Amino acid sequence: MKKRNLQELLSPNMTETERKGIALARQASCEGSVLLENNGTLPIKPCRVALFGFGARHLINTGVGSGDVSARYEIQVEDGLKQAGFEIATTAWLDTFDQIYAKHRKDLREELLKKSEETGIDCIHVWYQYSHEHIACQPILETDMPPAEAAIYVLSRKEGEGRDNAWQKGCYLPADWEVEHIRVLRERYERLIVLLNIGTVLDMQEIRKIGPDAVLAIYQGGAELGYAVADMLTGAVPPSGKLTTTWAEDYWDYSNSKVFGPQYPELMVPYSEGIYFGYRYFDSFKVKPLYAFGYGLTYTQFEFNCKAISHEKDTIRMDVSVQNAGSFKGKQTVQLYLSAPWGKLDKPAQVLCAYAKTDMLLPGESQELSLSFRLADFASYDTEEACYLLEKGAYVLRLADVSDSSRPCGVIELAENFITRKVKNVFSVPIELDEIRPERPGETTLPEDLPRISLNRDDIPWTEEPVYSEAPVNYLGRLTEEDVLLSAGEKRRMNVREDITLPDVITGKATLEELIASMTVEELIHLVTGQIYVHPVYKMNCYSQHVLGCCGETTNYFAGEEHPRKIPFLTTGDGGSGLHLIEKFQLDEKGEIIYLDPVLVFEHGAFGIDGYVDGLPYYYQYTTALPVPTQLANTWNTELTEKLGDVVGAEMERYGVDIWLAPGVNLHRNPLGGRNFEYYSEDPFLTASIASSIARGTQKHPGKGVCVKHMAANNQETNRTSHTACVSERTMREMYLRPFEWVVRDARPFSIMTSLNCVNGPHGTNSHELATSILQDEWGFDGLIMTDWNTTRKDRGASTSACIRAGMHIIMPGSENDLRLLREGLEKDSPLEKAVPLGDLQKSAMGVLRAVIRSMED
């Protein structure tokens, strides 16, 4: 297991990995920004511009919470424009806002500390509730608008963990003052460009009525977003992003608008839209969106057509020719959709099944792309028969550069029904769920000359029904249902060695099962509980003892040469937009990290308070700030996102982080989701393909791994630890589980994290259906299964012992209460919690040790 070299961290100089990561992030900012409107104003040559808006000097580069990331520096829009040769005519207005903003930050810190003291809630979680607040800029007066060739307005939003967005002004809707700013600029300047510095979706009705000449969604694009903005505005690097989430004309057009988050604060949340949300709903129910899934303008025009269709078994391949038919360079993304026939089951009008992106093409240049997919991956789930089913009929292939303009380009014909996989139904919905369903489509006449492929039974893969786990057998040979612990004497009579070490297992002197069998109950419960380290000031258990900024560790109960087991610990680091560490730290005379004020830690010094000790050297942990995951998905470029994952893996090696708590593959069920910025898309296939590429890049580094989260249906922050997602079996399997399944298959992630919310009854951490039946029995997942943080805390409702019985491997971040409850749960007549079978505890410990061994790979 490679651990960091502290001597390397004494230099503040930028590493080659960081330089590489910043350059790739800047590229991803351009490829993931989406040009929503343009009447020919863009690209624009450097000129004198009037620059206004919150984000002109204070860009939001990520969201709040575990998706946050630290960066060495942040390039603002003003910085980028100046470097590109623009003259900024509105410095005085920007200076005035700087003063307003500085006072706001000072007042906010004082309010945070006061609120924390009054409520007893730690500063970090108080910060969650305040950090989304958006400070208003001062008015733009006639005297603030000097002559300029164009106006640029930067509208910003901050989202994050702990709170959903709301259908209200200043949140999902533009604030009155933002609308007024844009209106007066439209009246004053001949050319008006609006930049949207957002995490996911913003209501555009009022802004479009005003009619800016160009609207570019720049999202939250990492450390050099300001430079990337200048690249895009001038056309040096044209924007080439495509939307991964549908933007509706009106929020109430979304299929689940009335049963989501702040609009529906009930604890039982019905997923009554079923499989019909996002473009599946808009296409199937013929509701016209404002900007469809896959939408994104370019500075040029492209032509593309299907050259050939072929197949090997059920893997379909399409070759497509793309030509830049315009007068400016650019990149184009070709999207392939599949329309399945209705039979016993209703089907969406179309689903994304493949895509590919060109290189940068000059005017007149062409490129051949190859798109492929496995038909069995898009089988529907038949709840009555508990199977994945391809129904007979014509499967129409549809080619597009945006979902709502797809055109037929081929047909796959099945003469009979094919079951691809037999399973069992594992979910029981706790409420009556009346799912919506579109009208059955009429017969469609397809062109006679469309290429056709016929598949037969030999072409379609078949997977036998898995064996489902009941009570596991413990490694001493006793059935767990007997619920009896073996004494030391009984172990000796069964010839179980007491002195087996992890090195014995690695060298083949003993098996992992023998090591587990030799362990005491106290050793086992420490293995399945995260390391308990209480913050010395704020009494919180969320921090790593060994890597400042990491949010937890597995137990170091066995660490050190003096412990006979010699089992090392693993560190876990947050950050959906890159590795989230604290930028610098100091060590005390014992060599231990000096911990700082949590507000300072969480905001990385943004409040201007120095908590460091004079005379002690600094150790530096600068990491690469990537664009937010939604923007990464907007690139539709898995080659690029895999390279970004590789950067994160290299930084994990440098700083001693073993598990990166990313990627998050929950879907954009609704545009108000507070953590949508931290997730990729409304589409499970696109989500999985981008997440898998990032996981593969990260895990190129031996012993380093990702943790895919949050399984499953973790789609809102409103009542996030207490609401129950009520989801049908079909919807769960076709939508919310598929991204996890495909990433498990395609990237073999190191770990999976379960969700904070309840799923059809039990908490995600207590769901045997998710952790055992689905993850381990059906998918054969052999990695580490961990809880989300603090789900077993009293106010969050999950049961400690039920985590182990469900098949979880480790409870994070761990607490003394978790250890106590596990000890009591292993007593046959525990009065507090249902007993924990020894076999379940051993099985969980086995999962932790497998992860430790994997982290030691060279």
Side-chain angles (χ1 to χ4, degrees):
M1 179 185 297
K2 183 178 179 180
K3 291 296 179 183
R4 63 182 176 176
N5 180 351
L6 284 174
Q7 293 304 306
E8 291 181 354
L9 308 187
L10 286 169
S11 171
N13 296 333
M14 187 177 290
T15 66
E16 188 57 38
T17 295
E18 193 180 355
R19 288 191 186 91
K20 173 185 174 183
I22 289 171
L24 288 169
R26 181 170 170 176
Q27 178 187 346
S29 294
C30 296
E31 292 208 26
S33 292
V34 181
L35 185 60
L36 299 175
E37 304 281 351
N38 188 26
N39 63 7
T41 292
L42 295 179
I44 185 172
K45 293 180 179 179
C47 59
R48 178 178 169 87
V49 296
L51 178 64
F52 295 95
F54 182 98
R57 286 183 178 174
H58 303 282
L59 278 170
I60 307 298
N61 272 311
T62 188
V64 177
S66 66
D68 199 355
V69 67
S70 54
R72 182 183 293 269
Y73 58 82
E74 293 179 350
I75 301 299
Q76 303 299 326
V77 170
E78 182 185 29
D79 302 327
L81 293 177
K82 283 182 175 179
Q83 189 193 61
F86 288 86
E87 179 188 351
I88 308 302
T90 50
T91 302
W93 188 92
L94 297 172
D95 288 345
T96 299
F97 180 66
D98 281 348
Q99 296 170 15
I100 296 171
Y101 188 65
K103 183 178 185 304
H104 166 77
R105 299 292 284 178
K106 180 177 180 294
D107 294 344
L108 176 60
R109 185 184 188 279
E110 292 175 359
E111 189 173 352
L112 276 172
L113 294 175
K114 180 180 178 182
K115 189 76 171 179
S116 178
E117 184 176 346
E118 289 174 351
T119 63
I121 301 173
D122 61 81
C123 289
I124 288 177
H125 290 89
V126 173
W127 167 242
Y128 280 179
Q129 299 307 310
Y130 281 77
S131 57
H132 305 62
E133 300 296 341
H134 193 53
I135 179 175
C137 298
Q138 73 272 24
I140 301 175
L141 306 176
E142 182 66 30
T143 54
D144 295 321
M145 296 185 286
E149 295 180 53
I152 298 174
Y153 188 80
V154 191
L155 187 155
S156 299
R157 283 292 182 276
K158 192 161 194 171
E159 297 103 19
E161 189 170 357
R163 195 170 84 180
D164 287 314
N165 296 320
W167 186 77
Q168 63 186 33
K169 294 179 179 180
C171 195
Y172 178 75
L173 304 172
D176 287 340
W177 58 268
E178 290 170 323
V179 174
E180 179 63 13
H181 281 179
I182 296 171
R183 186 189 64 78
V184 299
L185 295 177
R186 173 72 291 173
E187 292 175 355
R188 173 68 175 83
Y189 294 100
E190 183 177 346
R191 292 186 290 181
L192 172 60
I193 301 161
V194 174
L195 305 179
L196 302 180
N197 174 213
I198 55 177
T200 48
V201 179
L202 182 78
D203 184 273
M204 290 292 292
Q205 293 181 86
E206 292 299 317
I207 293 174
R208 293 185 79 243
K209 286 177 185 176
I210 297 170
D213 297 290
V215 179
L216 176 62
I218 62 172
Y219 288 84
Q220 295 164 350
E224 293 197 347
L225 178 55
Y227 289 153
V229 166
D231 292 339
M232 292 184 284
L233 294 184
T234 61
V237 183
S240 59
K242 298 283 188 176
L243 293 178
T244 62
T245 298
T246 305
W247 290 38
E249 286 273 5
D250 187 287
Y251 170 74
W252 305 105
D253 288 343
Y254 290 104
S255 59
N256 47 36
S257 57
K258 295 179 180 179
V259 290
F260 182 86
Q263 280 66 246
Y264 192 84
E266 304 296 325
L267 294 183
M268 303 297 281
V269 179
Y271 281 47
S272 51
E273 72 276 12
I275 62 175
Y276 297 103
F277 64 92
Y279 73 90
R280 285 167 168 77
Y281 169 74
F282 286 89
D283 292 346
S284 302
F285 286 78
K286 298 180 174 56
V287 178
K288 182 175 176 53
L290 174 59
Y291 304 123
F293 178 85
Y295 173 87
L297 301 176
T298 66
Y299 293 158
T300 186
Q301 295 82 43
F302 290 92
E303 295 176 355
F304 55 90
N305 59 82
C306 173
K307 303 293 289 184
I309 298 177
S310 59
H311 77 101
E312 182 176 345
K313 295 294 187 180
D314 81 322
T315 297
I316 311 300
R317 171 175 168 153
M318 178 178 292
D319 296 321
V320 178
S321 175
V322 183
Q323 182 182 32
N324 183 343
S327 58
F328 206 88
K329 65 183 177 180
K331 292 186 174 187
Q332 177 64 297
T333 299
V334 179
Q335 304 157 35
L336 184 62
Y337 294 85
L338 179 71
S339 296
W342 278 47
K344 175 183 179 182
L345 304 174
D346 55 293
K347 310 288 178 17
Q350 60 181 2
V351 298
L352 181 71
C353 61
Y355 63 88
K357 190 169 188 175
T358 68
D359 299 329
M360 187 69 74
L361 298 180
L362 298 176
E365 285 189 331
S366 298
Q367 185 176 354
E368 299 286 326
L369 299 177
S370 179
L371 293 76
S372 64
F373 69 96
R374 288 168 284 198
L375 185 61
D377 283 348
F378 297 91
S380 300
Y381 188 77
D382 182 354
T383 306
E384 285 187 8
E385 301 298 327
C387 69
Y388 290 87
L389 177 66
L390 289 172
E391 297 197 78
K392 65 181 180 181
Y395 290 73
V396 181
L397 298 169
R398 309 178 67 90
L399 206 57
D401 61 354
V402 55
S403 61
D404 64 356
S405 66
S406 64
R407 61 180 190 268
C409 59
V411 179
I412 306 165
E413 295 177 325
L414 300 185
E416 57 182 303
N417 293 342
F418 296 108
I419 294 175
T420 65
R421 187 167 25 140
K422 181 69 176 172
V423 292
K424 75 173 184 179
N425 294 327
V426 298
F427 298 105
S428 177
V429 185
I431 61 173
E432 186 175 342
L433 201 60
D434 185 18
E435 292 183 327
I436 63 174
R437 177 173 170 162
E439 292 183 5
R440 190 184 190 96
E443 292 295 324
T444 301
T445 302
L446 298 172
E448 291 290 334
D449 60 348
L450 282 183
R452 294 174 181 266
I453 293 172
S454 295
L455 300 183
N456 57 43
R457 185 168 296 279
D458 291 337
D459 294 317
I460 307 298
W462 160 260
T463 303
E464 293 287 346
E465 181 175 358
V467 176
Y468 289 91
S469 303
E470 298 299 337
V473 175
N474 73 48
Y475 296 112
L476 294 173
R478 287 182 177 271
L479 292 176
T480 58
E481 60 193 22
E482 292 183 45
D483 198 27
V484 176
L485 302 181
L486 296 183
S487 67
E490 287 174 303
K491 289 182 181 181
R492 282 193 294 273
R493 284 195 296 276
M494 296 180 70
N495 297 316
V496 177
R497 285 173 49 199
E498 300 276 348
D499 60 348
I500 299 174
T501 67
L502 189 62
D504 289 338
V505 175
I506 293 171
T507 59
K509 294 179 182 178
T511 67
L512 190 53
E513 289 81 0
E514 288 171 334
L515 172 58
I516 291 290
S518 73
M519 299 183 84
T520 66
V521 167
E522 190 66 17
E523 289 176 318
L524 291 171
I525 66 172
H526 274 280
L527 261 183
V528 304
T529 307
Q531 178 58 35
I532 292 126
Y533 175 71
V534 178
H535 188 283
V537 177
Y538 287 89
K539 311 304 180 187
M540 291 176 59
N541 180 28
C542 271
Y543 296 110
S544 163
Q545 281 182 271
H546 300 90
V547 181
L548 186 59
C550 271
C551 57
E553 299 172 347
T554 64
T555 184
N556 57 33
Y557 182 82
F558 306 92
E561 289 299 319
E562 68 281 358
H563 197 283
R565 298 291 188 189
K566 295 180 174 57
I567 300 172
F569 60 88
L570 306 177
T571 57
T572 60
D574 262 336
S577 301
L579 197 59
H580 184 186
L581 302 179
I582 304 306
E583 296 158 3
K584 61 182 180 180
F585 65 91
Q586 294 174 313
L587 302 179
D588 63 17
E589 65 279 359
K590 298 179 182 177
E592 296 180 354
I593 291 172
I594 297 173
Y595 278 80
L596 310 175
D597 177 343
V599 175
L600 175 69
V601 167
F602 217 68
E603 274 291 276
H604 315 304
F607 291 104
I609 294 173
D610 192 352
Y612 296 100
V613 178
D614 291 339
L616 293 178
Y618 292 110
Y619 296 82
Y620 297 92
Q621 298 184 134
Y622 290 114
T623 62
T624 303
L626 312 180
V628 291
T630 296
Q631 189 168 15
L632 293 179
N634 287 347
T635 68
W636 298 64
N637 187 339
T638 55
E639 181 181 348
L640 175 58
T641 50
E642 184 166 333
K643 290 178 180 177
L644 289 167
D646 186 15
V647 168
V648 176
E651 291 178 342
M652 292 170 71
E653 286 189 349
R654 177 177 176 81
Y655 299 121
V657 181
D658 300 300
I659 304 174
W660 182 33
L661 302 178
V665 302
N666 298 110
L667 301 182
H668 296 176
R669 176 181 176 236
N670 181 283
L672 300 185
R675 297 180 79 172
N676 280 356
F677 77 96
E678 200 176 339
Y679 307 139
Y680 297 102
S681 172
E682 67 190 28
D683 182 74
F685 168 68
L686 181 60
T687 292
S689 63
I690 298 293
S692 292
S693 69
I694 291 172
R696 287 192 298 270
T698 305
Q699 294 183 168
K700 285 179 181 178
H701 299 266
K704 304 304 177 185
V706 300
C707 178
V708 184
K709 62 184 187 182
H710 310 83
M711 187 170 169
N714 191 108
N715 305 300
Q716 72 174 50
E717 294 299 285
T718 303
N719 299 321
R720 67 177 184 155
T721 64
S722 55
H723 84 268
T724 298
C726 301
V727 194
S728 71
E729 186 91 25
R730 180 185 179 187
T731 299
M732 182 68 81
R733 288 177 175 275
E734 286 192 26
M735 300 302 294
Y736 298 106
L737 290 180
R738 268 189 168 158
F740 291 92
E741 181 179 10
W742 285 336
V743 176
V744 165
R745 179 192 67 191
D746 297 338
R748 195 185 168 231
F750 196 99
S751 180
I752 299 283
M753 182 191 294
T754 53
S755 60
L756 283 171
N757 57 290
C758 303
V759 183
N760 285 331
H763 270 265
T765 56
N766 292 168
S767 174
H768 185 275
E769 293 80 8
L770 289 172
T772 298
S773 298
I774 297 292
L775 255 180
Q776 298 179 78
D777 296 342
E778 289 191 18
W779 302 349
F781 180 64
D782 62 354
L784 180 68
I785 307 173
M786 68 172 69
T787 71
D788 201 344
W789 263 232
N790 295 304
T791 53
T792 57
R793 209 169 63 188
K794 285 184 179 180
D795 61 335
R796 296 193 169 179
S799 159
T800 298
S801 61
C803 289
I804 304 304
R805 295 196 307 274
M808 302 298 303
H809 294 151
I810 189 165
I811 299 167
M812 293 297 288
S815 68
E816 290 290 352
N817 194 51
D818 289 323
L819 291 176
R820 178 180 63 82
L821 289 172
L822 286 176
R823 291 186 189 105
E824 293 173 351
L826 281 155
E827 297 172 3
K828 189 171 184 180
D829 298 318
S830 169
L832 296 179
E833 295 215 350
K834 185 177 177 181
V836 180
L838 175 60
D840 284 342
L841 184 65
Q842 292 174 318
K843 182 180 177 182
S844 294
M846 176 79 76
V848 176
L849 289 183
R850 281 199 307 266
V852 171
I853 291 171
R854 183 174 175 182
S855 75
M856 301 170 75
E857 294 175 352
D858 295 327

